[in-house]
Amino acid sequence: MIEFKADKVLASGISKEIKAEIEVPGDKSISHRAVMLGSLAAGKSYLSNLSLSGDNSATVAAFRKLGVRIEKQKLSGTGKDFLIKGVGLRGLKEPVSVINTANSGTLTRLIAGILAGNDFFSVLSGDKYLNSRPMKRIIEPLSLMGAKITGRNGGNYPPLAVSGGGLKSIFYEVPVPSAQVKSCIILAALFAQGDTVIYEKKATRDHTENLLKFQGYALKVETPSIGGSLISVKGRAGNGPELKPLDINIPGDFSSAAFFIALGILSEGAEITVKNVILNEKRTGLLKVLEMMGADVKTNVTGTVPEKTGNVKARYSRSRLNGISVPREIVSDMIDEFPIFSVIASFSEGKTIVSGAQELRVKESDRIKTVVLNLKKAGIDVKESEDGFEINGRPDLIKHNSNGVINPKTEGLTKLNSYGDHRIAMSMIIMGLVLKNRKLEIGDTGCINTSFPEFFDILSKILPFKVSASKNKF
Ligand code: S3P
């Protein structure tokens, strides 16, 4: 069950066998990009199922500040819920005040690419968590292209001050597996002189590429013989054709669906289907790993343009889950799912090893630390490593500790914390719903708004309880 206590949530074991079909709101990554690329298009774009999360409302506010009209349509549910009056590649206005990027790394890094291409001054600043996330990774390529960007802490942390314009093209190999860095350079390249070529050793999520292609932009993506992905972007340097407007229905967010997929697998007798969710392989590494562990999860594809979309059905299969070593090449395809994956691994027989995942240290929290801290407090046998963690899980964790004896820690109340990280908060709530004879209290859960303000609404439909969560205004 779920109980609310100010910004704390008490989660305890459910006895009901959940049978449910749900939908989750629009994908956060695509929502950011659709607002950005709709704003830069020449003409009216229509978006439906746009994510109303805190991160995405910050993106809408940022582009309004840059002079773009973005309106919520009166008649929603028509497939055209938001109207963006795109200003074209040369139409953004210098903002008169600081652009607030809230908790969003995607907004900060992607908009920095766009601002770098525009001949005006702007400042980006977010909340205390965002303002401690590394930005050198984007400042380096943008500076090579000719933008002037300074920031706190020797230029690594926001606030960032951007003086853009006059960009030249570059060849750049992205040194960390990051779709945010890649997308930042692609967006800057739209404004540069000449063709920019970007190489990533391991292809990361490609929503920017997919949307730009959908808008008829001259962008080429190749797989070279050495592997990875090579992206060439034609620079328009202030002339040349504009981007075509978008008219899209944004598929559900796989990262939000993942919490319900986990609940379906772990909760006795459950069967949960998440419909109309994005199934882009660079996002669904979790499904591959779950299959390796023996989980009962099935997908069926219902659409492919501009992104592969479909339904995911997760059935109770906790008793047959085995621990695994997560293949390193899958890490970036499930980068946002490690917190909820750690919960699934805690209930899987034997050892699960995550390595090569050092990027987790620079997410909304240091997710290696915050996962390990919380699981340890919950009585789970977990070890931290430099670039991951190791969990010794048990399907009967519900009653026993790792030595097989009744765990004193399974009685009463265990206090955990989100450390301001939305995905840690939701993962620990799901864990609390699966554990029996005890309650997990998760502190600082307001951050759930960052990506998934509808989380409790959806949970309350499948496990009746009263909801008192807040909503964003657009
Ligand atoms: C995102 C890319 C990922 C992911 C983030 C969203 C995106 O970050 O963790 O939540 O929309 O491009 P990195 O690309 O920096 O790994």
Side-chain angles (χ1 to χ4, degrees):
M1 273 300 107
I2 296 273
E3 297 157 64
F4 295 96
K5 217 167 88 185
D7 76 333
K8 294 191 180 75
V9 168
L10 286 163
S12 50
I14 37 183
S15 43
K16 184 179 167 213
E17 290 194 354
I18 310 166
K19 307 276 179 215
E21 244 185 41
I22 58 165
E23 287 204 36
V24 290
D27 186 68
K28 181 157 81 73
S29 289
I30 297 183
S31 294
H32 282 302
R33 288 158 170 85
V35 169
M36 293 179 185
L37 293 171
S39 296
L40 293 177
K44 291 181 182 169
S45 283
Y46 293 97
L47 310 178
S48 115
N49 205 28
L50 182 72
S51 162
L52 307 180
S53 69
D55 274 11
N56 292 114
S57 54
T59 294
V60 169
F63 280 83
R64 283 178 175 154
K65 197 169 250 190
L66 291 165
V68 183
R69 283 184 62 186
I70 303 175
E71 290 164 13
K72 193 167 186 339
Q73 302 275 82
K74 287 208 181 66
L75 276 176
S76 66
T78 55
K80 296 182 188 300
D81 297 350
F82 280 87
L83 163 64
I84 303 180
K85 295 190 173 152
V87 295
L89 282 167
R90 292 168 283 281
L92 296 180
K93 302 252 176 337
E94 185 173 65
V96 295
S97 56
V98 172
I99 294 174
N100 177 10
T101 58
N103 189 243
S104 179
T106 308
L107 168 57
T108 310
R109 295 189 177 117
L110 269 58
I111 201 174
I114 295 172
L115 296 172
N118 278 273
D119 186 13
F120 55 61
F121 175 77
S122 52
V123 179
L124 299 170
S125 184
D127 66 14
K128 64 176 180 183
Y129 303 102
L130 187 276
N131 283 3
S132 303
R133 294 184 66 188
M135 295 296 153
K136 257 211 175 94
R137 50 180 63 197
I138 55 155
I139 293 177
E140 186 179 286
L142 293 177
S143 303
L144 289 171
M145 294 176 90
K148 291 175 193 62
I149 309 183
T150 51
R152 203 165 65 78
N153 196 252
N156 195 29
Y157 294 150
L160 301 178
V162 185
S163 298
L167 299 189
K168 57 178 189 292
S169 59
I170 53 169
F171 170 83
Y172 196 75
E173 178 174 339
V174 184
V176 282
S178 169
Q180 293 181 353
V181 175
K182 169 181 64 175
S183 301
C184 166
I185 306 169
I186 294 176
L187 292 169
L190 300 179
F191 301 92
Q193 188 88 49
D195 295 359
T196 293
V197 181
I198 304 156
Y199 176 65
E200 35 175 16
K201 259 195 219 89
K202 163 75 180 76
T204 58
R205 67 185 72 186
D206 51 359
H207 310 308
T208 310
E209 296 91 308
N210 293 342
L211 279 181
L212 277 169
K213 282 189 203 155
F214 194 59
Q215 289 179 288
Y217 198 82
L219 175 130
K220 209 161 70 198
V221 182
E222 294 160 290
T223 308
S225 54
I226 50 165
S229 176
L230 196 65
I231 303 127
S232 319
V233 190
K234 276 226 164 311
R236 300 234 146 124
N239 45 44
E242 295 278 3
L243 291 178
K244 289 196 192 112
L246 291 163
D247 187 350
I248 55 167
N249 188 356
I250 298 169
D253 195 327
F254 183 80
S255 300
S256 300
F259 300 108
F260 292 93
I261 295 171
L263 189 62
I265 295 168
L266 298 176
S267 184
E268 251 154 72
E271 182 176 310
I272 300 180
T273 303
V274 191
K275 297 187 80 178
N276 188 31
V277 67
I278 186 164
L279 292 177
N280 179 325
E281 273 90 9
K282 300 193 183 66
R283 294 288 300 282
T284 54
L286 178 72
L287 296 180
K288 280 196 198 131
V289 166
L290 289 176
E291 194 186 329
M292 290 167 68
M293 296 170 98
D296 185 352
V297 180
K298 292 194 175 57
T299 58
N300 73 298
V301 177
T302 54
T304 51
V305 180
E307 293 276 0
K308 190 164 154 190
T309 304
N311 307 325
V312 184
K313 183 184 279 188
R315 286 210 193 92
Y316 174 69
S317 36
R318 189 182 69 224
S319 56
R320 62 183 223 214
L321 295 179
N322 289 307
I324 56 154
S325 222
V326 175
R328 281 174 175 243
E329 66 276 12
I330 295 183
V331 167
S332 69
D333 301 340
M334 57 180 287
I335 194 69
D336 291 337
E337 281 61 74
F338 281 100
I340 190 63
F341 173 70
S342 76
V343 172
I344 300 171
S346 300
F347 292 100
S348 305
E349 185 70 54
K351 200 174 274 189
T352 288
I353 301 170
V354 173
S355 60
Q358 54 275 30
E359 274 298 298
L360 293 177
R361 295 217 178 260
V362 291
K363 294 293 174 192
E364 286 83 330
S365 67
D366 174 344
R367 285 188 177 155
I368 296 181
K369 241 193 188 78
T370 50
V371 157
V372 169
L373 269 171
N374 278 318
L375 293 187
K376 263 197 186 142
K377 278 194 198 151
I380 286 139
D381 182 357
V382 54
K383 270 203 271 316
E384 177 175 348
S385 69
E386 189 101 335
D387 61 349
F389 47 82
E390 198 180 297
I391 293 173
N392 257 309
R394 313 176 47 104
D396 60 354
L397 171 71
I398 284 167
K399 300 194 221 62
H400 302 83
N401 71 9
S402 51
N403 299 319
V405 292
I406 294 283
N407 188 346
K409 284 194 184 159
T410 60
E411 301 294 333
L413 182 73
T414 307
K415 292 188 178 183
L416 308 180
N417 202 286
S418 75
Y419 302 94
D421 184 331
H422 52 127
R423 298 200 205 284
I424 298 286
M426 290 183 275
S427 302
M428 295 306 137
I429 290 171
I430 297 294
M431 179 157 192
L433 292 174
V434 180
L435 289 169
K436 295 268 161 58
N437 310 323
R438 63 194 291 198
K439 274 185 183 169
L440 295 185
E441 178 188 283
I442 298 99
D444 194 3
T445 54
C447 54
I448 289 173
N449 225 10
T450 295
S451 66
F452 197 1
E454 304 81 354
F455 178 67
F456 292 113
D457 282 328
I458 298 175
L459 264 183
S460 76
K461 280 185 194 129
I462 61 179
L463 329 155
F465 62 85
K466 243 174 72 215
V467 183
S468 59
S470 64
K471 291 240 158 59
N472 288 307
K473 287 209 172 52
F474 260 54

